[in-house]
Amino acid sequence: KSIDIKNDYAKVVLEINLDEQQAYPPFISSGKNVFELRKDDNSMWKIVEHEYISLRMFESSKEKLLSEKKKDELFKTIEKEYIIDKTKEYKNYNQDEEQSGVVVLSLPAENHYYSSSRGVYYANKYVENRNTKFYEASTSGGDCTNFASQVSWYGFGANDTTQDISNKVMMVPGSTYTEGWYAGSGGGSRNWESVNYFWNYMTGYKSIDTPGPRVSVVSSVSSLNEGGIMQIDFEYDSDYDHTVILVDKDTLKFAQHSYNGYYYYSDYSGSKRFFNPSYFREIL
């Protein structure tokens, strides 16, 4: 759109249009990109600043750079992130309740098992343009977890209709913002929309008579199913920042909101955690 050069300084503004069905490295951002460049001692232009729409999500600081890992440390990290280790899988429920029949001393209930294909379908349908039947959580730090909750909700078997949303089908109602797991056109609970509260709610142990989602926590992306959830802690400070959904296991392609689009696993730098939705337990 413009190029401004003054001696050893230059400012370049690009408007980049991307294929909405493809994933790109985070430094290639759809929309307005502003680059600042300076000439080095060898008269070579080097980028010194880059402003773009998803800057906050991928670059926590312009001054504090992540330390480079030594080769042996890097190999250990790769092995940890990709190895399939079933011994580290954790279920937040007693496996006896997976049978839909009534268990002694429990309330009548029905299990609605998670459909990966439905979850992926919903994620792909609304990855670029959000579902307007739900609110947009952009004012509370981003829409990523609101979107991930919607994907899980639909994967459990809810219908993408105003009626199912208003009746809180496949949701857990609450009387306050801190209770339940629900959302609609006017807003939702913090367990639905907040990164860390969502994780704690979804993975926390639930008794057999507690309605709501059941999930399996897995140790690596290799154990994550399509329609499964990954969260990223960009700054390695144990305060997780972002929630995304796996939509293609072969390429490790993820769908996300805020910024709305697709990214690959290798684009996400930081500590990661994962869970696969299992089923939603409805107390009849």
Side-chain angles (χ1 to χ4, degrees):
K1 295 183 73 71
S2 65
I3 300 176
D4 183 19
I5 302 175
K6 293 181 180 178
N7 300 319
D8 291 340
Y9 169 85
K11 184 175 181 180
V12 181
V13 180
L14 300 178
E15 187 75 27
I16 301 178
N17 296 315
L18 304 180
D19 182 344
E20 295 181 352
Q21 295 303 311
Q22 298 299 318
Y24 297 87
F27 55 83
I28 300 178
S29 181
S30 181
K32 185 178 180 181
N33 288 250
V34 180
F35 294 91
E36 295 184 22
L37 304 91
R38 290 191 182 278
K39 280 187 179 180
D40 63 13
D41 295 337
N42 297 316
S43 295
M44 298 290 291
W45 287 104
K46 290 193 173 181
I47 296 171
V48 293
E49 291 282 351
H50 178 199
E51 297 284 346
Y52 58 102
I53 192 170
S54 51
L55 175 66
R56 280 187 177 182
M57 188 179 72
F58 290 104
E59 297 181 23
S60 57
S61 170
K62 292 184 179 180
E63 291 77 30
K64 182 182 177 182
L65 300 179
L66 295 175
S67 59
E68 292 190 19
K69 292 184 178 181
K70 295 179 180 179
K71 188 178 291 186
D72 57 340
E73 293 176 341
L74 185 60
F75 287 155
K76 288 179 181 178
T77 300
I78 293 173
E79 182 175 332
K80 179 181 178 183
E81 289 192 357
Y82 285 91
I83 194 171
I84 297 177
D85 188 352
K86 290 292 186 180
T87 63
K88 292 185 178 180
E89 185 173 341
Y90 160 74
K91 297 179 184 290
N92 71 333
Y93 56 89
N94 187 324
Q95 288 182 251
D96 291 340
E97 81 172 48
E98 287 190 68
Q99 302 301 319
S100 294
V102 178
V103 180
V104 178
L105 299 179
S106 73
L107 300 172
E110 182 179 356
N111 295 338
H112 302 270
Y113 291 92
Y114 187 74
S115 167
S116 292
S117 60
R118 281 177 62 93
V120 170
Y121 169 82
Y122 188 98
N124 286 329
K125 182 177 181 180
Y126 292 112
V127 64
E128 290 291 337
N129 301 301
R130 71 181 185 87
N131 186 349
T132 56
K133 292 185 284 295
F134 285 97
Y135 73 111
E136 184 175 15
S138 57
T139 58
S140 57
D143 196 55
C144 64
T145 308
N146 177 27
F147 181 49
S149 283
Q150 291 174 39
V151 170
S152 300
W153 164 81
Y154 189 78
F156 286 133
N159 295 304
D160 183 16
T161 62
T162 302
Q163 183 176 0
D164 267 20
I165 295 171
S166 61
N167 290 334
K168 294 184 172 55
V169 175
M170 298 302 155
M171 298 181 189
V172 180
S175 57
T176 69
Y177 175 65
T178 63
E179 297 175 352
W181 180 66
Y182 63 91
S185 59
S189 67
R190 68 181 184 184
N191 294 327
W192 182 280
E193 66 180 22
S194 174
V195 176
N196 290 288
Y197 283 106
F198 171 71
W199 176 272
N200 292 337
Y201 177 78
M202 296 295 278
T203 64
Y205 178 75
K206 296 176 177 65
S207 69
I208 196 168
D209 291 329
T210 301
R214 274 36 173 190
V215 305
S216 297
V217 178
V218 294
S219 60
S220 70
V221 70
S222 297
S223 300
L224 196 63
N225 300 328
E226 290 184 350
I229 302 298
M230 179 174 78
Q231 290 195 329
I232 307 100
D233 170 15
F234 295 129
E235 300 184 37
Y236 295 93
D237 61 0
S238 299
D239 184 15
Y240 281 76
D241 308 289
H242 194 41
T243 308
V244 297
I245 306 99
L246 180 64
V247 294
D248 189 327
K249 191 171 178 66
D250 291 336
T251 61
L252 295 184
K253 181 179 175 182
F254 288 82
Q256 65 163 57
H257 273 192
S258 301
Y259 165 72
N260 297 3
Y262 294 108
Y263 289 94
Y264 290 114
Y265 180 74
S266 57
D267 293 328
Y268 296 106
S269 176
S271 179
K272 305 174 184 74
R273 58 188 182 186
F274 319 87
F275 73 74
N276 290 314
S278 298
Y279 59 91
F280 185 97
R281 188 158 180 83
E282 180 187 16
I283 305 300
L284 301 176

